[in-house]
Amino acid sequence: EADALAYQAEVIVALLPRIVDAENLHSVFEKLSDRRFAGVKLIGERIGWLNVLSMTSPNYVYDLNLGVHDEWKVANLLTRLALKEPGENFVENEYCRKWGGEPSPGR
């Protein structure tokens, strides 16, 4: 299944220059296999999270390294959006001081 997911991600990356309405790219992600969040992560790592982020449908699992400017910017935009939207927007969030480390206390 990991090979199929990698293949799907490769096809999306290859076809990205031909997409006319990039703001609807999230609808392509919804068609990925059952592990769509892993697929979105693969694509985000390949083309950059700012190219993947949809402000109209940001409902994905994000694994962001805040030391990378592109990923920090995505976290900043998601935080601004969460402040304007009602309800709890960050669910099951964790912050790690070191990449791959243990989550820090005090959410």
Side-chain angles (χ1 to χ4, degrees):
E1 187 175 325
D3 289 339
L5 196 60
Y7 180 73
Q8 289 173 343
E10 188 68 33
V11 168
I12 291 171
V13 169
L15 294 176
L16 190 64
R18 299 185 186 276
I19 294 176
V20 178
D21 56 344
E23 66 273 3
N24 292 320
L25 188 59
H26 64 90
S27 64
V28 174
F29 297 147
E30 292 168 3
K31 304 295 184 226
L32 289 174
S33 65
D34 292 338
R35 294 178 53 209
R36 70 180 181 145
F37 296 122
V40 172
K41 185 175 189 291
L42 281 173
I43 296 165
E45 290 170 351
R46 288 281 307 277
I47 65 173
W49 281 104
L50 282 174
N51 292 314
V52 172
L53 180 65
S54 168
M55 295 305 281
T56 58
S57 183
N59 306 320
Y60 295 105
V61 174
Y62 295 90
D63 188 9
L64 302 170
N65 179 350
L66 300 181
V68 176
H69 183 74
D70 186 48
E71 297 182 27
W72 175 86
K73 189 71 174 172
V74 168
N76 183 282
L77 290 169
L78 289 171
T79 302
R80 288 176 184 225
L81 182 62
L83 291 173
K84 291 185 180 196
E85 292 288 321
E88 186 177 0
N89 296 297
F90 288 123
V91 181
E92 297 180 23
N93 56 324
E94 295 179 338
Y95 173 75
C96 302
R97 293 191 184 275
K98 288 185 174 179
W99 189 251
E102 292 294 317
S104 297
R107 293 183 186 203

